Each structure stands twice: as C-alpha cells, then as structure tokens.
Amino acid sequence: MPVTLPRPIYKPTQSLVPGICHTPPAGQAAWYPPVMAGADTLGAKVARAETILQALVLMQRLTPDAYTTYLKDFYSHGLEKFEAHWRYADIVTVLLCLSEALQPRNYLEVGVRRGRSAAAVAVKAPRCTMALFDMWQTNYAGMENPGAEFVKSELRSIGYQGQAAFIDGNSHETLPAFFAQNPDMMFDIITVDGDHSELGAAQDICDVLPRLAIGGALVFDDIAHPFHPELNGVWKTLVESDDRFSTFSYREAGYGVGFAIRKH
Ligand SMILES: C[S@@+](CC[C@H](N)C(=O)[O-])C[C@H]1O[C@@H](n2cnc3c(N)ncnc32)[C@H](O)[C@@H]1O
C-alpha cells in the first residue's frame, strides 16, 4: 500500500532562476511564464557520453572509496562499450548538467555522505552557497560515513569557493527548523537523497518542494533501486504526475534518478 502524503502547497514566489528564465525588458509584457527550458532540453544533455565522461573525471578527483572505485570502472566500461550511443544517468550526471545550465546561486541537499553529489554542483558552480543536511549514519550501506570536515575538504580540493553550511541531525527535525528560521529562503537546486524509507523520503520532498524557485530543479535519487522499490512510487505520486513540473526520469540502468523543473 503506497504512502499517500498530500502534495505540498506552494506559496506564490517571485524567486526565479536567472540561468533558465527569460525576463522581458522593463515596460514589455511577459506573455509566457518565465522558464525557457525544462526536462526535455536538460535531460537530453544529462544522458550523453560527454557528461558521463565529466562524471568519470570528477570521480577521479575525489578521495576514492569502494563505491567511487566501482563507479569509475562502470563509467569506463560503458563508455568503451557503447561510446557516444550510451544513454546513462545518475545523480552525478544530472547535477553536473543542471548546475552548468542553471548556475545555481544556492543549493540544498538532504543526504550528503562523502560529498559526491555536492561535488558535482561545486565543480560547475564553485561560488554557489550550500545548505547540506545529514545525520552521518555510521556504517551507511556498509561503508564509513566520515562527516562534515571530510566533505569540506573534498569540496575545497575540487576548487569550491562558496559558503557551505552543514546542518547535522535528522532531516525530519532539521529541515522544518531550518525553514522556520529562514522563512523566505528559496533554492535554485535541491537534492533529496537522505532517508530512503517510503514515508521518510516523501516527507523530505514535501518539506523542501515549496522552497524551490521558479525554474529551479529538484533531484531525487534511486528511483530504480532494487532495495528501495517504494521510492519510484514516491517520485511518481508527489512529483512526476504534478503538472507544476516538467520531469526527467531515468530507470534504465544503475539505481535510477529523477529531476523536476518548477514551471510556475
Ligand atoms: C545515499 S547517502 C547520500 C549520498 C550522496 N548524496 C551521494 O551522492 O554520494 C544517504 C545519506 O543520508 C543520510 N541520512 C539518512 N537518513 C537521514 C535523515 N533522516 N536525516 C539526515 N540524513 C539522513 C545518511 O547518513 C547518508 O549519509
């Protein structure tokens, strides 16, 4: 029985992502909603060999662990085998593309671990302000989870020059508290990759979505993960079927990933 949470209510906002929005000159009418491109345009760039190669290069720059070592081999093998025809996407290729196109001024992430996904944003938008939420669960998925100082050093090592705030603790407490303290703060890109339970992931999405700027992107990982089959239903119910977004969903290989661009 899928968890049903009501879709979050969005406050009207004037906050636009300049990198993807058209604003007419003063005095001219705005006939269309401001967002110029959505998931079709951006998704076509995500699943290209060129982007996968960028993801491979980024993994080579980060301190290796068992997962990134596997990923480097996976990327290399797929590129060798399928060359320019390979259509593959994951949280890293998605964030590389979105960050290049949107040039986010700020980024919120739930579920940081070793900073792999945050690094994909940092390498394309090195001055972007970041709010990074994690409870640093020990032995996460059988691997160590070294914490904020490690992530800071990883981000510095790839040239990140922005301000990153680490908000430690359970996102179901820290997100509501953070938003209560920052009632008007909106974000250009938000990633949800923390609590992988059905209700927990749905709660995180509902907490963050109202804070997505117009033209902003929500990224949700693992929509084809064999150990977390419920996440696909969460994504479909709360985001993919919501007309306020254009969406990209990749489930063909790996653990799957989705992103959504807020249209209005
Ligand atoms: C899948 S990992 C994140 C991976 C990272 N985004 C990447 O791409 O490498 C999930 C992280 O979420 C954290 N986490 C799990 N449940 C959480 C919760 N309720 N609140 C905050 N963090 C949580 C874990 O500590 C872990 O570091």
Side-chain angles (χ1 to χ4, degrees):
M1 182 82 174
V3 168
T4 47
L5 282 181
R7 283 182 182 153
I9 295 167
Y10 298 62
K11 292 186 294 189
T13 177
Q14 301 299 317
S15 182
L16 305 179
V17 181
I20 197 175
C21 289
H22 173 72
T23 309
Q28 283 189 20
W31 291 92
Y32 291 167
V35 178
M36 290 185 292
D40 278 355
T41 304
L42 299 165
K45 287 181 115 186
V46 165
R48 282 192 320 199
E50 188 186 317
T51 309
I52 304 164
L53 187 57
Q54 289 180 20
L56 171 61
V57 169
L58 179 60
M59 293 308 104
Q60 286 165 341
R61 294 177 67 188
L62 298 176
T63 307
D65 75 346
Y67 186 43
T68 53
T69 300
Y70 172 83
L71 274 179
K72 282 181 274 189
D73 288 347
F74 183 87
Y75 290 149
S76 302
H77 191 184
L79 287 168
E80 184 190 10
K81 176 87 186 162
F82 302 107
E83 300 174 334
H85 301 292
W86 198 21
R87 294 288 170 266
Y88 168 77
D90 62 24
I91 191 170
V92 174
T93 63
V94 161
L95 284 169
L96 285 169
C97 269
L98 292 176
S99 301
E100 184 172 291
L102 271 58
Q103 282 299 303
R105 298 157 297 183
N106 57 15
Y107 173 64
L108 186 153
E109 180 170 276
V110 188
V112 180
R113 206 171 77 85
R114 295 170 63 92
R116 177 185 64 129
S117 39
V121 177
V123 81
K124 293 289 186 180
R127 293 186 186 280
C128 169
T129 300
M130 297 195 180
L132 303 173
F133 292 74
D134 204 301
M135 65 194 295
W136 315 109
Q137 286 177 332
T138 47
N139 201 27
Y140 186 84
M143 293 174 289
E144 59 168 334
N145 203 352
E149 288 307 315
F150 175 86
V151 176
K152 273 184 207 165
S153 129
E154 289 290 89
L155 293 178
R156 266 198 307 271
S157 77
I158 55 151
Y160 178 63
Q161 298 160 40
Q163 296 292 319
F166 287 82
I167 299 98
D168 301 338
N170 186 337
S171 62
H172 309 311
E173 293 157 14
T174 52
L175 283 172
F178 179 86
F179 289 136
Q181 280 163 16
N182 299 282
D184 300 320
M185 196 176 280
M186 303 293 282
F187 287 87
D188 291 351
I189 301 183
I190 299 177
T191 292
V192 172
D193 188 22
D195 186 346
H196 278 48
S197 72
E198 186 176 23
L199 186 57
Q203 188 63 60
D204 282 344
I205 287 182
C206 290
D207 283 342
V208 300
L209 263 186
R211 299 310 187 103
L212 192 63
I214 292 172
L218 172 75
V219 178
F220 187 58
D221 202 19
D222 295 333
I223 60 171
H225 197 304
F227 300 156
H228 303 289
E230 312 79 16
L231 295 183
N232 190 34
V234 170
W235 176 245
K236 282 183 174 169
T237 311
L238 286 177
V239 185
E240 202 179 61
S241 56
D242 187 332
D243 290 341
R244 290 173 290 195
F245 301 102
S246 67
T247 58
F248 167 94
S249 305
Y250 179 85
R251 303 181 177 89
E252 216 172 284
Y255 289 158
V257 64
F259 74 81
I261 305 290
R262 181 173 175 183
K263 293 195 279 191
H264 48 75

